[in-house]
Amino acid sequence: QAQVVESGGGLVQPGGSLRLSCVASGFNVSRYDMGWYRQAPGTQRDYVALILTAGITKVTNSVKGRFTISRDNAKNTVYLQMNSLTPEDTGVYYCNNWGRSLDWGQGTQVTVSS
């Protein structure tokens, strides 16, 4: 059964850092373009970061220079390193393949607050 499990979220102060993990099972992340998505309170779920199978990465403008997406094929895991966090980064973070063919899971909650 192909699925992903997100972890690593929590409560952090503005300016802090978190590293989110997306552990895949039932498929190899090396074979698929993988993305991170975020849903802030009262908003739709939006793209945050993308990593292609070739290793090319892209992040949405609001997190450029602060967030980095990466992949460890041996661990079948995609990461999102989040630095210089602001309250606007608060939300539930999800991962999926870029085709969004997996059912959305529970995600991991990130709350940035002092």
Short mmCIF file of all heavy atoms in Angstrom, two decimals, residues 57-111:
data_model
loop_
_atom_site.label_atom_id
_atom_site.label_comp_id
_atom_site.label_asym_id
_atom_site.label_seq_id
_atom_site.Cartn_x
_atom_site.Cartn_y
_atom_site.Cartn_z
N THR A 57 15.14 21.16 -7.60
CA THR A 57 14.20 21.57 -6.55
C THR A 57 13.63 22.94 -6.84
O THR A 57 14.23 23.75 -7.55
CB THR A 57 14.87 21.58 -5.17
OG1 THR A 57 15.92 22.55 -5.16
CG2 THR A 57 15.42 20.21 -4.83
N LYS A 58 12.48 23.20 -6.27
CA LYS A 58 11.83 24.49 -6.37
C LYS A 58 10.99 24.69 -5.12
O LYS A 58 10.42 23.73 -4.59
CB LYS A 58 10.94 24.56 -7.62
CG LYS A 58 10.24 25.90 -7.81
CD LYS A 58 9.45 25.92 -9.11
CE LYS A 58 8.64 27.20 -9.24
NZ LYS A 58 9.51 28.40 -9.24
N VAL A 59 10.93 25.92 -4.64
CA VAL A 59 10.08 26.26 -3.52
C VAL A 59 9.24 27.47 -3.89
O VAL A 59 9.61 28.27 -4.76
CB VAL A 59 10.88 26.54 -2.23
CG1 VAL A 59 11.68 25.31 -1.82
CG2 VAL A 59 11.79 27.75 -2.40
N THR A 60 8.12 27.61 -3.22
CA THR A 60 7.26 28.75 -3.47
C THR A 60 7.94 30.02 -2.97
O THR A 60 8.81 29.99 -2.09
CB THR A 60 5.89 28.54 -2.81
OG1 THR A 60 4.94 29.46 -3.34
CG2 THR A 60 5.99 28.69 -1.31
N ASN A 61 7.56 31.15 -3.56
CA ASN A 61 8.29 32.39 -3.31
C ASN A 61 8.34 32.78 -1.84
O ASN A 61 9.35 33.32 -1.37
CB ASN A 61 7.67 33.54 -4.12
CG ASN A 61 8.01 33.46 -5.58
OD1 ASN A 61 8.98 32.83 -5.98
ND2 ASN A 61 7.20 34.12 -6.40
N SER A 62 7.28 32.52 -1.10
CA SER A 62 7.22 32.98 0.28
C SER A 62 8.23 32.29 1.19
O SER A 62 8.50 32.79 2.29
CB SER A 62 5.81 32.81 0.83
OG SER A 62 5.45 31.45 0.89
N VAL A 63 8.77 31.15 0.77
CA VAL A 63 9.73 30.44 1.59
C VAL A 63 11.10 30.37 0.96
O VAL A 63 12.01 29.73 1.52
CB VAL A 63 9.23 29.01 1.94
CG1 VAL A 63 7.84 29.06 2.55
CG2 VAL A 63 9.24 28.12 0.71
N LYS A 64 11.28 31.02 -0.16
CA LYS A 64 12.56 30.99 -0.86
C LYS A 64 13.67 31.54 0.03
O LYS A 64 13.51 32.60 0.66
CB LYS A 64 12.48 31.78 -2.16
CG LYS A 64 13.68 31.59 -3.07
CD LYS A 64 13.48 32.31 -4.40
CE LYS A 64 12.33 31.71 -5.19
NZ LYS A 64 12.63 30.34 -5.65
N GLY A 65 14.77 30.81 0.08
CA GLY A 65 15.88 31.20 0.92
C GLY A 65 15.78 30.72 2.35
O GLY A 65 16.75 30.84 3.10
N ARG A 66 14.63 30.18 2.73
CA ARG A 66 14.43 29.70 4.09
C ARG A 66 14.16 28.20 4.16
O ARG A 66 14.57 27.56 5.12
CB ARG A 66 13.27 30.45 4.76
CG ARG A 66 13.47 31.95 4.82
CD ARG A 66 12.38 32.63 5.65
NE ARG A 66 11.05 32.45 5.05
CZ ARG A 66 10.05 31.78 5.63
NH1 ARG A 66 10.23 31.22 6.83
NH2 ARG A 66 8.88 31.69 5.02
N PHE A 67 13.47 27.66 3.18
CA PHE A 67 13.12 26.24 3.16
C PHE A 67 13.94 25.53 2.10
O PHE A 67 14.18 26.07 1.01
CB PHE A 67 11.64 26.04 2.84
CG PHE A 67 10.68 26.44 3.93
CD1 PHE A 67 11.06 27.20 5.02
CD2 PHE A 67 9.35 26.04 3.84
CE1 PHE A 67 10.17 27.57 6.00
CE2 PHE A 67 8.43 26.40 4.82
CZ PHE A 67 8.84 27.16 5.90
N THR A 68 14.32 24.30 2.40
CA THR A 68 15.04 23.46 1.46
C THR A 68 14.44 22.07 1.46
O THR A 68 14.28 21.45 2.52
CB THR A 68 16.53 23.37 1.81
OG1 THR A 68 17.11 24.68 1.88
CG2 THR A 68 17.28 22.55 0.77
N ILE A 69 14.10 21.57 0.29
CA ILE A 69 13.61 20.21 0.15
C ILE A 69 14.76 19.32 -0.29
O ILE A 69 15.60 19.72 -1.10
CB ILE A 69 12.43 20.15 -0.84
CG1 ILE A 69 11.82 18.74 -0.87
CG2 ILE A 69 12.83 20.61 -2.23
CD1 ILE A 69 10.51 18.65 -1.66
N SER A 70 14.80 18.11 0.25
CA SER A 70 15.84 17.17 -0.10
C SER A 70 15.29 15.76 -0.01
O SER A 70 14.16 15.54 0.45
CB SER A 70 17.08 17.33 0.80
OG SER A 70 16.76 17.07 2.15
N ARG A 71 16.10 14.81 -0.43
CA ARG A 71 15.65 13.42 -0.50
C ARG A 71 16.80 12.51 -0.14
O ARG A 71 17.94 12.75 -0.53
CB ARG A 71 15.15 13.14 -1.93
CG ARG A 71 14.65 11.74 -2.21
CD ARG A 71 14.29 11.61 -3.68
NE ARG A 71 15.46 11.77 -4.53
CZ ARG A 71 15.47 12.39 -5.69
NH1 ARG A 71 14.36 12.94 -6.17
NH2 ARG A 71 16.59 12.46 -6.40
N ASP A 72 16.50 11.46 0.61
CA ASP A 72 17.45 10.41 0.93
C ASP A 72 16.87 9.12 0.38
O ASP A 72 15.98 8.52 0.99
CB ASP A 72 17.70 10.31 2.43
CG ASP A 72 18.81 9.34 2.78
OD1 ASP A 72 19.04 8.37 2.03
OD2 ASP A 72 19.46 9.55 3.83
N ASN A 73 17.35 8.71 -0.77
CA ASN A 73 16.78 7.54 -1.43
C ASN A 73 16.98 6.27 -0.60
O ASN A 73 16.10 5.40 -0.59
CB ASN A 73 17.38 7.36 -2.82
CG ASN A 73 16.99 8.47 -3.76
OD1 ASN A 73 15.97 9.13 -3.58
ND2 ASN A 73 17.80 8.68 -4.79
N ALA A 74 18.12 6.15 0.07
CA ALA A 74 18.38 4.96 0.87
C ALA A 74 17.38 4.82 2.00
O ALA A 74 17.03 3.70 2.38
CB ALA A 74 19.80 4.99 1.41
N LYS A 75 16.93 5.94 2.55
CA LYS A 75 15.95 5.92 3.62
C LYS A 75 14.52 6.07 3.10
O LYS A 75 13.58 6.05 3.90
CB LYS A 75 16.24 7.02 4.63
CG LYS A 75 17.57 6.85 5.34
CD LYS A 75 17.82 7.98 6.33
CE LYS A 75 19.14 7.78 7.04
NZ LYS A 75 19.43 8.89 7.98
N ASN A 76 14.37 6.24 1.78
CA ASN A 76 13.06 6.42 1.17
C ASN A 76 12.30 7.55 1.85
O ASN A 76 11.10 7.43 2.15
CB ASN A 76 12.25 5.13 1.20
CG ASN A 76 11.27 5.03 0.04
OD1 ASN A 76 11.49 5.60 -1.02
ND2 ASN A 76 10.18 4.29 0.25
N THR A 77 12.99 8.65 2.07
CA THR A 77 12.46 9.76 2.85
C THR A 77 12.73 11.08 2.14
O THR A 77 13.82 11.29 1.59
CB THR A 77 13.08 9.79 4.25
OG1 THR A 77 12.77 8.57 4.93
CG2 THR A 77 12.57 10.96 5.06
N VAL A 78 11.74 11.96 2.16
CA VAL A 78 11.86 13.32 1.68
C VAL A 78 11.82 14.24 2.89
O VAL A 78 11.02 14.04 3.81
CB VAL A 78 10.74 13.67 0.69
CG1 VAL A 78 10.86 15.12 0.22
CG2 VAL A 78 10.78 12.73 -0.50
N TYR A 79 12.68 15.26 2.89
CA TYR A 79 12.78 16.18 4.00
C TYR A 79 12.41 17.59 3.57
O TYR A 79 12.51 17.96 2.40
CB TYR A 79 14.21 16.21 4.55
CG TYR A 79 14.71 14.88 5.04
CD1 TYR A 79 15.53 14.08 4.24
CD2 TYR A 79 14.38 14.41 6.30
CE1 TYR A 79 15.99 12.86 4.68
CE2 TYR A 79 14.85 13.19 6.76
CZ TYR A 79 15.65 12.42 5.94
OH TYR A 79 16.11 11.20 6.39
N LEU A 80 11.99 18.37 4.54
CA LEU A 80 11.81 19.80 4.35
C LEU A 80 12.49 20.50 5.52
O LEU A 80 12.00 20.46 6.65
CB LEU A 80 10.34 20.19 4.28
CG LEU A 80 10.06 21.65 3.96
CD1 LEU A 80 10.50 21.98 2.53
CD2 LEU A 80 8.59 21.99 4.15
N GLN A 81 13.64 21.11 5.24
CA GLN A 81 14.34 21.90 6.24
C GLN A 81 13.75 23.29 6.24
O GLN A 81 13.73 23.97 5.21
CB GLN A 81 15.84 21.95 5.94
CG GLN A 81 16.65 22.77 6.94
CD GLN A 81 16.65 22.18 8.32
OE1 GLN A 81 16.88 20.98 8.48
NE2 GLN A 81 16.40 23.01 9.33
N MET A 82 13.27 23.73 7.39
CA MET A 82 12.56 24.99 7.55
C MET A 82 13.34 25.86 8.53
O MET A 82 13.44 25.53 9.71
CB MET A 82 11.14 24.76 8.05
CG MET A 82 10.37 23.71 7.25
SD MET A 82 8.91 23.11 8.13
CE MET A 82 7.94 24.60 8.23
N ASN A 83 13.89 26.96 8.03
CA ASN A 83 14.65 27.89 8.85
C ASN A 83 13.95 29.24 8.88
O ASN A 83 13.11 29.55 8.04
CB ASN A 83 16.07 28.06 8.31
CG ASN A 83 16.87 26.78 8.32
OD1 ASN A 83 16.70 25.94 9.20
ND2 ASN A 83 17.76 26.62 7.35
N SER A 84 14.33 30.05 9.86
CA SER A 84 13.80 31.41 9.99
C SER A 84 12.29 31.43 9.94
O SER A 84 11.67 32.23 9.23
CB SER A 84 14.40 32.32 8.91
OG SER A 84 15.81 32.36 8.99
N LEU A 85 11.69 30.56 10.71
CA LEU A 85 10.24 30.40 10.66
C LEU A 85 9.52 31.65 11.16
O LEU A 85 9.99 32.32 12.08
CB LEU A 85 9.82 29.19 11.48
CG LEU A 85 10.14 27.84 10.83
CD1 LEU A 85 10.12 26.72 11.86
CD2 LEU A 85 9.13 27.56 9.71
N THR A 86 8.39 31.92 10.55
CA THR A 86 7.54 33.04 10.91
C THR A 86 6.14 32.53 11.21
O THR A 86 5.78 31.41 10.81
CB THR A 86 7.47 34.09 9.79
OG1 THR A 86 6.64 33.60 8.73
CG2 THR A 86 8.86 34.40 9.25
N PRO A 87 5.31 33.32 11.90
CA PRO A 87 3.94 32.88 12.15
C PRO A 87 3.16 32.54 10.88
O PRO A 87 2.26 31.70 10.93
CB PRO A 87 3.32 34.07 12.89
CG PRO A 87 4.47 34.69 13.60
CD PRO A 87 5.63 34.55 12.65
N GLU A 88 3.51 33.17 9.76
CA GLU A 88 2.83 32.89 8.50
C GLU A 88 3.13 31.49 7.98
O GLU A 88 2.45 31.02 7.06
CB GLU A 88 3.21 33.93 7.45
CG GLU A 88 2.62 35.32 7.71
CD GLU A 88 3.25 36.02 8.90
OE1 GLU A 88 4.48 35.87 9.11
OE2 GLU A 88 2.53 36.73 9.62
N ASP A 89 4.13 30.82 8.54
CA ASP A 89 4.44 29.45 8.15
C ASP A 89 3.57 28.44 8.88
O ASP A 89 3.66 27.24 8.60
CB ASP A 89 5.91 29.13 8.42
CG ASP A 89 6.85 29.99 7.59
OD1 ASP A 89 6.57 30.20 6.39
OD2 ASP A 89 7.87 30.45 8.14
N THR A 90 2.77 28.89 9.81
CA THR A 90 1.91 27.99 10.57
C THR A 90 0.94 27.26 9.65
O THR A 90 0.34 27.86 8.75
CB THR A 90 1.15 28.77 11.65
OG1 THR A 90 2.08 29.25 12.63
CG2 THR A 90 0.12 27.89 12.34
N GLY A 91 0.77 25.99 9.88
CA GLY A 91 -0.18 25.21 9.12
C GLY A 91 0.12 23.73 9.24
O GLY A 91 1.04 23.32 9.95
N VAL A 92 -0.68 22.95 8.56
CA VAL A 92 -0.45 21.52 8.48
C VAL A 92 0.31 21.24 7.20
O VAL A 92 -0.11 21.65 6.11
CB VAL A 92 -1.77 20.73 8.52
CG1 VAL A 92 -1.50 19.24 8.44
CG2 VAL A 92 -2.56 21.07 9.78
N TYR A 93 1.41 20.53 7.31
CA TYR A 93 2.28 20.23 6.18
C TYR A 93 2.07 18.79 5.75
O TYR A 93 2.11 17.87 6.57
CB TYR A 93 3.74 20.47 6.55
CG TYR A 93 4.10 21.93 6.62
CD1 TYR A 93 3.63 22.73 7.65
CD2 TYR A 93 4.90 22.52 5.63
CE1 TYR A 93 3.94 24.08 7.71
CE2 TYR A 93 5.22 23.86 5.68
CZ TYR A 93 4.74 24.64 6.72
OH TYR A 93 5.06 25.97 6.78
N TYR A 94 1.88 18.61 4.46
CA TYR A 94 1.63 17.31 3.87
C TYR A 94 2.65 17.03 2.79
O TYR A 94 3.17 17.95 2.16
CB TYR A 94 0.24 17.26 3.21
CG TYR A 94 -0.92 17.59 4.10
CD1 TYR A 94 -1.31 18.91 4.29
CD2 TYR A 94 -1.65 16.59 4.71
CE1 TYR A 94 -2.40 19.22 5.09
CE2 TYR A 94 -2.74 16.88 5.51
CZ TYR A 94 -3.10 18.20 5.70
OH TYR A 94 -4.19 18.50 6.48
N CYS A 95 2.92 15.76 2.55
CA CYS A 95 3.69 15.40 1.37
C CYS A 95 2.89 14.46 0.49
O CYS A 95 1.96 13.79 0.94
CB CYS A 95 5.06 14.79 1.73
SG CYS A 95 5.01 13.20 2.58
N ASN A 96 3.24 14.45 -0.77
CA ASN A 96 2.58 13.63 -1.76
C ASN A 96 3.48 13.59 -2.97
O ASN A 96 4.41 14.40 -3.09
CB ASN A 96 1.20 14.20 -2.13
CG ASN A 96 0.21 13.15 -2.55
OD1 ASN A 96 0.58 12.13 -3.15
ND2 ASN A 96 -1.07 13.38 -2.23
N ASN A 97 3.23 12.66 -3.88
CA ASN A 97 3.91 12.76 -5.16
C ASN A 97 3.34 13.96 -5.91
O ASN A 97 2.27 14.47 -5.58
CB ASN A 97 3.80 11.46 -5.95
CG ASN A 97 2.36 11.06 -6.23
OD1 ASN A 97 1.64 11.75 -6.95
ND2 ASN A 97 1.95 9.93 -5.68
N TRP A 98 4.08 14.41 -6.92
CA TRP A 98 3.66 15.63 -7.61
C TRP A 98 2.35 15.44 -8.36
O TRP A 98 1.63 16.42 -8.59
CB TRP A 98 4.76 16.09 -8.57
CG TRP A 98 4.59 17.51 -9.02
CD1 TRP A 98 4.42 17.94 -10.29
CD2 TRP A 98 4.56 18.67 -8.18
NE1 TRP A 98 4.30 19.31 -10.31
CE2 TRP A 98 4.38 19.79 -9.04
CE3 TRP A 98 4.68 18.88 -6.81
CZ2 TRP A 98 4.32 21.09 -8.55
CZ3 TRP A 98 4.61 20.18 -6.32
CH2 TRP A 98 4.43 21.26 -7.19
N GLY A 99 2.02 14.22 -8.70
CA GLY A 99 0.72 13.94 -9.29
C GLY A 99 -0.40 13.88 -8.28
O GLY A 99 -1.57 13.75 -8.68
N ARG A 100 -0.07 13.96 -7.01
CA ARG A 100 -1.05 13.95 -5.92
C ARG A 100 -1.98 12.75 -6.01
O ARG A 100 -3.18 12.85 -5.76
CB ARG A 100 -1.83 15.26 -5.88
CG ARG A 100 -0.94 16.49 -5.72
CD ARG A 100 -1.74 17.78 -5.76
NE ARG A 100 -2.50 17.92 -6.99
CZ ARG A 100 -1.99 18.35 -8.13
NH1 ARG A 100 -0.71 18.68 -8.20
NH2 ARG A 100 -2.76 18.44 -9.21
N SER A 101 -1.42 11.61 -6.36
CA SER A 101 -2.22 10.42 -6.53
C SER A 101 -2.46 9.66 -5.23
O SER A 101 -3.32 8.79 -5.18
CB SER A 101 -1.58 9.49 -7.55
OG SER A 101 -0.30 9.06 -7.12
N LEU A 102 -1.69 9.98 -4.21
CA LEU A 102 -1.91 9.35 -2.91
C LEU A 102 -3.05 10.05 -2.18
O LEU A 102 -3.27 11.25 -2.35
CB LEU A 102 -0.65 9.42 -2.05
CG LEU A 102 0.60 8.73 -2.57
CD1 LEU A 102 1.79 9.07 -1.69
CD2 LEU A 102 0.40 7.23 -2.63
N ASP A 103 -3.76 9.29 -1.37
CA ASP A 103 -4.71 9.92 -0.47
C ASP A 103 -3.95 10.83 0.49
O ASP A 103 -2.87 10.49 0.98
CB ASP A 103 -5.48 8.87 0.33
CG ASP A 103 -6.42 8.07 -0.52
OD1 ASP A 103 -6.80 8.53 -1.61
OD2 ASP A 103 -6.80 6.96 -0.09
N TRP A 104 -4.54 11.99 0.74
CA TRP A 104 -3.93 12.90 1.71
C TRP A 104 -3.98 12.27 3.10
O TRP A 104 -5.00 11.75 3.53
CB TRP A 104 -4.65 14.24 1.73
CG TRP A 104 -4.53 15.00 0.45
CD1 TRP A 104 -5.48 15.18 -0.50
CD2 TRP A 104 -3.36 15.70 -0.01
NE1 TRP A 104 -4.99 15.95 -1.53
CE2 TRP A 104 -3.70 16.28 -1.25
CE3 TRP A 104 -2.08 15.89 0.51
CZ2 TRP A 104 -2.77 17.03 -1.99
CZ3 TRP A 104 -1.17 16.64 -0.22
CH2 TRP A 104 -1.53 17.20 -1.46
N GLY A 105 -2.85 12.32 3.78
CA GLY A 105 -2.78 11.79 5.13
C GLY A 105 -3.10 12.85 6.16
O GLY A 105 -3.76 13.86 5.87
N GLN A 106 -2.61 12.63 7.36
CA GLN A 106 -2.88 13.56 8.46
C GLN A 106 -1.96 14.77 8.44
O GLN A 106 -2.28 15.79 9.04
CB GLN A 106 -2.76 12.83 9.79
CG GLN A 106 -3.83 11.77 10.01
CD GLN A 106 -5.22 12.37 10.00
OE1 GLN A 106 -5.52 13.30 10.77
NE2 GLN A 106 -6.08 11.84 9.13
N GLY A 107 -0.82 14.65 7.77
CA GLY A 107 0.14 15.74 7.78
C GLY A 107 0.78 15.89 9.15
O GLY A 107 0.58 15.09 10.05
N THR A 108 1.57 16.94 9.28
CA THR A 108 2.20 17.26 10.55
C THR A 108 2.01 18.75 10.82
O THR A 108 2.23 19.58 9.95
CB THR A 108 3.69 16.84 10.55
OG1 THR A 108 4.24 17.05 11.85
CG2 THR A 108 4.50 17.59 9.51
N GLN A 109 1.59 19.06 12.01
CA GLN A 109 1.25 20.43 12.39
C GLN A 109 2.50 21.21 12.74
O GLN A 109 3.33 20.76 13.54
CB GLN A 109 0.30 20.43 13.59
CG GLN A 109 -0.02 21.82 14.13
CD GLN A 109 -0.94 22.61 13.24
OE1 GLN A 109 -1.95 22.08 12.78
NE2 GLN A 109 -0.60 23.87 12.98
N VAL A 110 2.63 22.38 12.13
CA VAL A 110 3.69 23.32 12.46
C VAL A 110 3.04 24.58 12.98
O VAL A 110 2.21 25.19 12.30
CB VAL A 110 4.58 23.64 11.24
CG1 VAL A 110 5.55 24.77 11.55
CG2 VAL A 110 5.32 22.39 10.78
N THR A 111 3.39 24.97 14.18
CA THR A 111 2.87 26.18 14.79
C THR A 111 4.04 27.07 15.17
O THR A 111 4.91 26.66 15.94
CB THR A 111 2.02 25.88 16.03
OG1 THR A 111 0.95 25.01 15.67
CG2 THR A 111 1.45 27.16 16.61
#
